[in-house]
Structures are given as C-alpha cells and as structure tokens.
Amino acid sequence: HVGGYAFGLAEFLQYAENNADDTPLYLFDKRFAEAAPELAAAYKPPKYFDDDLFGLLEGRRPDWRWLIVGGARSGSAWHKDPNGTSAWNATLRGRKRWLFFPPRTTPPGVRPSAD
C-alpha cells in the first residue's frame, strides 16, 4: 500500500517514473525486511551508529528501519522524528533535498508530542 492505495511494485515504479502529480506518492515500508530478507541482510547501519540503545529494548523496540522509494518531487512533510530518535539515510539513485531548522525550532505545522 502506498498512500492508502494498493500497488504492485512494478506498477508503483512505473507511477513513480511517469507521474505529473504536484505531491506524488512514495513508498514507506517499515516491514520490508520481512518481505525481502536478502535485502535486510544487506542493510547494516554505518559504524558511526554502532551504539544502538533501542536494541536493548528487545521485543519493545520501536520501528527502526524503513525502505523509502519515490520519484521526482515526492517526499515527506515537515516533521520531527518521534521519541528523540535520529536516522541515517542513503540515496541510491537521484538526489534528496534536506531543509533543516535549528534544534529547538519546531517546523511550521508540526505539533510534536510531549515524549
């Protein structure tokens, strides 16, 4: 499912390549490792992130890895990552544009939870 729509992967990739939408859909899959264990085996955080404190939570660990795929102009809205988490990203093809605010500044339209 992508944006509430059911897509096969080939169909989604064709959509991502050819759409003219103002805000295109993108694939955000937190369960990719279950569907593609060979891809999960190739997924290893850089050594700079070896200290994984969430790993100590065993069965209560929050979601921690995602496969995100999108075409031109796709992306997320302003947000703050939950629970004080941070992430690393790798762009395999194309480019990604980042816009940052100072650490104590909340982006427009974002209402972070107390935790």
Side-chain angles (χ1 to χ4, degrees), residues 33-84:
E34 296 167 18
E38 68 284 356
L39 185 56
Y43 182 101
K44 182 173 177 13
K47 65 180 179 178
Y48 308 106
F49 301 106
D50 281 345
D51 292 334
D52 178 10
L53 299 178
F54 282 124
L56 300 173
L57 297 176
E58 299 175 358
R60 300 176 320 207
R61 173 192 200 117
D63 295 328
W64 65 286
R65 57 185 179 184
W66 300 267
L67 176 66
I68 303 170
V69 179
R73 299 173 321 284
S74 65
S76 68
W78 288 112
H79 66 278
K80 282 187 123 175
D81 290 341
N83 301 317

Side-chain angles (χ1 to χ4, degrees), residues 77-80 99-102 105-112:
W78 288 112
H79 66 278
K80 282 187 123 175
L99 298 171
F100 293 95
F101 279 92
T105 303
T106 301
V110 172
R111 293 180 183 33

Side-chain angles (χ1 to χ4, degrees), residues 68 88-93 96 98:
I68 303 170
W88 62 274
N89 288 253
T91 301
L92 302 179
R93 181 176 165 214
K96 180 173 181 65
W98 289 87

Side-chain angles (χ1 to χ4, degrees), residues 26-40:
Y26 67 104
L27 172 71
F28 195 97
D29 185 357
K30 65 182 177 183
R31 299 210 183 336
F32 77 93
E34 296 167 18
E38 68 284 356
L39 185 56

